[in-house]
Amino acid sequence: MAYDFPILSLIIWLPILGGAALLFIGDCIGAQNTKCYALVLSLLAFLLSIPLYLEFDTTTAAMQFVEKVPWITAFDINYHLGIDGIALPLILLTTFTTILVVLAAWESITDRVPQYLGAFLILDGLMVAVFCALDGILFYVFWEAQLIPMFLIIGIWGGPNRVYATIKFFLYTFLGSVFMLVAFLYLYHQAGTFDVATLHHLPLSITAQTWIFIAFFLAFAVKIPMWPVHTWLPDAHVEAPTGGSVILAAIMLKMGGYGFLRYSLPITPDASQAWAGVLIILSLIAIVYIGFVALVQRDMKKLIAYSSISHMGFATLGMFVIFQIIHRTGAAEGAIMAMEGSMMQMISHGFISGALFLCVGVLYDRMHSREISAYGGVVNTMPVFAAFMMLFAMANAGLPGTSGFVGEFTVILSSFEASFWIAFFAASTLILGAAYTLWMYKRVIFGEIANDEVAKLQDINARERLILASLAVMVLLLGIWPDPLFTIMHASIENLVQHVTQSKLIP
Amino acid sequence: MTKALIIILAPLLASVIAGLFGHRIGRAGTHWVTIIGVAISFLVSLLVYIDILWEDAPVFNANLYTWLMTGGISLHIGFLIDELTATMMVVVTFVSLMVHIYTIGYMHEDPGYQRFFSYISLFTFSMLMLVMANNFLQLFFGWEAVGLVSYLLIGFWYTRESAIFANLKAFLINRVGDFGFLLSIAAVLMYFDTLDYAEVFHQAPELAGTTITIWGDAQWQLLTVICILLFIGAMGKSAQAPLHVWLPDSMEGPTPISALIHAATMVTAGIFMVARMSPLFELSETALSFVMLTGAFTAFFMGLLGLVQNDIKRVIAYSTLSQLGYMTVALGVSAYAAGIFHLATHAFFKALLFLAAGSVIIGMHHEQDMRKMGGLWKIMPITWITCLIGSLALIGFPGFSGFFSKDMIIEAVHHSERYGAHVAYWAVLSGVFVTALYSFRLIFMVFHGQERMDAHTRANLHESPPVVTVPLILLAIPSVTAGALFIEPMLFGDYFGNSIVVHPENNVLGSLGEHFHGWLAMVEHGVTQLPFMLAMAGVLVAWLGYVAFPEAPRNLATMFKPIYWLLTRKYGFDEIYQAVFAGGARMIGRLLSGLGDRLLIDGMLVNGSARIVGLASMMIRQVQSGYLYHYAFAMILGLLALLGIFVHGL
């Protein structure tokens, strides 16, 4: 690899160390300096991730910017990092979103500011590390490590019911990932290494594959989350502070999807194929069932949380429908489209759900309520905000021209090649997604001014405008011209699809 | 390409400027920017039209950029400009320009002036994207974008509960149509491996025999499935029964957009789409029959509803539904050219009628109830004359534009051999009587008879300013002349070239053309025909009921109470949808949320397992009592058990 500079490590450790330092020095340097310091660090991390995009070679599926240092030699555990076209977009999304989260905290967090920002900076590095790790144990360590800052963020800066929500969040995700650890240990036992690339080519019997698949499934399905292990998400979102919700929805959920792509599918392709039907049905349940549930929510954050589950249903659908597509058409083209659509859906959802949670945050900062019924007629007092939220609501409803459309469109189109009915149920989001999003918008934003508090609302300030505008630009840009993003993914996804369609059963 | 880009970008740019900097450049600045943007678009469209139609320039078909390449398929943004597109472009930009000018007068007191101009320019852009698309993806983009603007404009007065209810309803019902549309696009992509019009149309005949299974073993013609799904999309946008319920409610929006979006352009997108897809529809008799019968049903039954409305805009809205039904019928009998012809004439005279209604509404200080009007002809002569022209065109009075287009549809249905054509024929024929009746009911109630407004309104009544009346006059001109000028080339000449495909065995217009001897002869012939008689009967009945014997309608309503009740209830579509779909969805949602998520998953699985762990540990805790003899006893029991197993095992 021509790139000798350990840039990935820098992107990971700069915010982690910087954030850790902030925990200690923060109380001495004052709140204002703390914020500037955090902003500079998050900006630096983002700027450092830009060369990844510029220098990225889109023609190869091989890992790039690789770093490999022995860590625990006795068990052949290495500090092994590298990225491909699947990890790169997620890393960019992470570093970009962290800046916005720091900015969003500017005025709304007044309690223990250094610790709050420090937690997010640490989280930033850990999440990037999850997407870079090429060693099972390294991945597991980072995966579990980022539970801690999030646990604290919800537990300390969360809402009134935060204790129930954090424990539920922690136990749910921890329970899932413990099985993942067992799976890694078994794989080590078989292969003698935790190296991901080696594991990808490790032949396994169908029984072993099935157990490993189930173990991975428990970890990743909880994280995404898939129905029926989704109920921690609405609670966690409702109680989390705005920044926590944004990170949770925009990035942490994507780790589940990333896990399927990096571990489940390539390590256990035969079991994945056998279980694809179940996963497809669970995804469709997420899309339809959760769509109905979202419709009747009275709490804005809960509604958006359910909408996230429904949208992530497209991500899992796109990943597992590939087996049916290949079975029906005998060619890989449709499968590649489905899987790229699934990635697109994850990236786009990062921007849109992040934006929607920030919008709710803007309202919450002013009114201290998330209840839909507490609002009404906000457009009268906050017209600029209403315009932004309209854009994000429409993007959430999958309007063409926004990024929300691209992922759903490609997944629905390719699912049709698997079965008319899969596409049929997936396409119901066109109606359901519009119904729950726009009905909420109508009740919150439109109408006569509902009460005196709404009448006193101030429109968004320059800082909030900057945050929402930068997200709006991304949502529109990816909607109008998604091709550059897909170009990054082509080689890796093609390689992945080819890989998972080859059986690796022990003969 | 440059011209296409100018046409597309001028209104978009104007819209962005008006939207972002509207308050900085002021009201006049805003309307100048947007009007110039649309005017540029109109003039260049006209140039393109002349090039394509008169100079016989070749069809323009090129891609602008690659939107997405994935899985061996590339999706583009690009333009196809042929005879059909050029016609639509001129109609859209002309009506839009008129509406822009008119808006200066209509909205001049409204605080949302700049926002309004931004929206209607954005609409013009979206509609142009729709008609100029050269592939299904971009068509869908334009399709949804016009839906978005329509949503924004119906809810323009966002503090009104009725307006924000109507816009949500409109968007969601359109989404039901789009649901079908999206599935049809998926089917096209799967079987054609491309979304490009030219390639799809090229391959279509080869796939004519392909069948697919959807449910069980029943074999469906692929193209029938695709076309019916496409048409479901068209039903949403073009408000065909049973997806029509949003259009009357859309009248909550300001009148200029009722004219532009909900009469002249957006609602005709479905008609345009089917005509555009004629190479596919021609391959499916079943789909065409479905189209025709849906149109016939809408044309007749929605017209009837116009008879009992008292809101001036709603009368015209139901008339629009009915006329869209006529266009759809034309498509269903493969007379696509007649459908587009009626689309164009209707765009002019219906925009005219709406703007005239708007002029009345301004005069009446935003009163829309016709029962409080009457005798306005003396006070608003220009509005009266232009409205009369629009109505005569609408009822198909010989010589006016609507006469030519509507008569040809009726004749085409008459001569069609499509399955169910005789039913459709009776529906469109009786529709003529109904059309004349509600149109002249409006004319008589608004402009003639007694003055029923209060004294204050009466004292302030005056003709509208020139920004309002000039567009009326400009629209009145094509409303009169467009029919006579274009009928021969459009229906019987080579006007549409290859942009519309009709198979010889379906070509009803072709056989009608053999009996066509110029527009004058058609007018002379027309006055002796059944449709004319029916129209005149309609006018006469309207005169009897609303001028000569004003008591008669009320007596009739009491005599036929059940029918009157059914009509005022609009056949109950709204109530049923509200209860079944809106209510049903909320009920399912509550059920899944309460029973599924909270009780089963959270209550039993999640918190339940936590409780089980708690219970189990409580029981196990009992074992750790701390008394030595308990432990000793347990050890003895364990030893005994082990010993037993050991002995029996061997």
Side-chain angles (χ1 to χ4, degrees), chain B residues 294-335:
Chain B
T294 311
F297 181 86
T298 310
F300 180 69
F301 286 99
M302 294 305 134
L304 281 183
L305 295 183
L307 295 176
V308 297
Q309 296 295 321
N310 290 318
D311 181 314
I312 182 168
K313 281 177 74 181
R314 285 189 181 247
V315 176
I316 311 179
Y318 280 104
S319 141
T320 306
L321 283 176
S322 162
Q323 296 306 308
L324 287 167
Y326 275 91
M327 297 174 209
T328 310
V329 172
L331 302 172
V333 296
S334 295

Side-chain angles (χ1 to χ4, degrees), chain B residues 159-430:
Chain B
T159 49
R160 291 186 191 171
E161 189 53 40
S162 55
I164 58 180
F165 175 78
N167 75 344
L168 187 61
K169 178 169 166 184
F171 198 86
L172 292 183
I173 289 174
N174 269 295
R175 272 289 168 107
V176 176
D178 297 348
F179 175 77
F181 193 3
L182 187 64
L183 288 177
S184 72
I185 295 178
V188 167
L189 185 75
M190 174 167 177
Y191 288 94
F192 294 84
D193 266 336
T194 172
L195 290 182
D196 195 77
Y197 289 161
E199 288 177 44
V200 170
F201 297 159
H202 179 71
Q203 291 178 34
E206 296 162 25
L207 286 161
T210 312
T211 56
I212 57 171
T213 52
I214 292 178
W215 188 264
D217 291 327
Q219 294 288 319
W220 294 76
Q221 287 288 328
L222 169 67
L223 284 164
T224 301
V225 173
I226 290 180
C227 289
I228 287 182
L229 287 171
L230 275 173
F231 183 65
I232 290 174
M235 283 164 72
K237 199 107 302 184
S238 290
Q240 295 297 295
L243 297 182
H244 65 281
V245 290
W246 64 273
L247 187 63
D249 285 8
S250 77
M251 296 301 131
E252 289 297 332
T255 307
I257 68 117
S258 305
L260 175 63
I261 300 185
H262 303 121
T265 55
M266 185 190 84
V267 288
T268 59
I271 312 298
F272 163 78
M273 188 254 269
V274 177
R276 176 96 278 168
M277 303 300 160
S278 58
L280 301 182
F281 277 86
E282 277 300 289
L283 296 167
S284 172
E285 286 271 329
T286 319
L288 283 173
S289 272
F290 179 65
V291 171
M292 180 190 68
L293 290 173
T294 311
F297 181 86
T298 310
F300 180 69
F301 286 99
M302 294 305 134
L304 281 183
L305 295 183
L307 295 176
V308 297
Q309 296 295 321
N310 290 318
D311 181 314
I312 182 168
K313 281 177 74 181
R314 285 189 181 247
V315 176
I316 311 179
Y318 280 104
S319 141
T320 306
L321 283 176
S322 162
Q323 296 306 308
L324 287 167
Y326 275 91
M327 297 174 209
T328 310
V329 172
L331 302 172
V333 296
S334 295
Y336 306 101
I340 294 293
F341 185 37
H342 196 52
L343 183 162
T345 58
H346 175 260
F348 297 130
F349 64 70
K350 188 53 66 71
L352 170 61
L353 279 174
F354 262 119
L355 296 188
S359 172
V360 170
I361 294 169
I362 312 174
M364 298 291 298
H365 290 275
H366 293 275
E367 176 59 67
Q368 298 185 191
D369 192 335
M370 297 195 296
R371 284 168 299 191
K372 296 182 184 155
M373 298 177 188
L376 292 181
W377 69 277
K378 286 169 295 203
I379 313 157
M380 306 180 90
I382 303 177
T383 307
W384 171 57
I385 294 285
T386 50
C387 189
L388 194 60
I389 291 173
S391 297
L392 288 171
L394 171 61
I395 68 168
F397 192 83
F400 287 75
S401 63
F403 162 74
F404 298 100
S405 52
K406 197 194 281 179
D407 239 31
M408 271 302 140
I409 292 176
I410 296 170
E411 281 301 298
V413 180
H414 193 41
H415 287 87
S416 171
E417 282 156 15
R418 183 88 61 231
Y419 175 78
H422 53 288
V423 180
Y425 177 63
W426 284 107
V428 290
L429 200 58
S430 359

Side-chain angles (χ1 to χ4, degrees), chain A residues 168 231 340 430 447 480 490, chain B residues 65 69-70 158 175 597 602:
Chain A
K168 196 169 175 183
T231 55
E340 292 188 345
L430 224 57
I480 294 167
H490 286 321
Chain B
Y65 69 92
M69 266 173 56
T70 174
Y158 45 70
R175 272 289 168 107
D597 262 33
D602 254 9

Side-chain angles (χ1 to χ4, degrees), chain B residues 570-584:
Chain B
K570 306 160 212 157
Y571 309 120
F573 276 108
D574 279 333
E575 280 86 353
I576 293 170
Y577 286 0
Q578 187 65 29
V580 175
F581 295 115

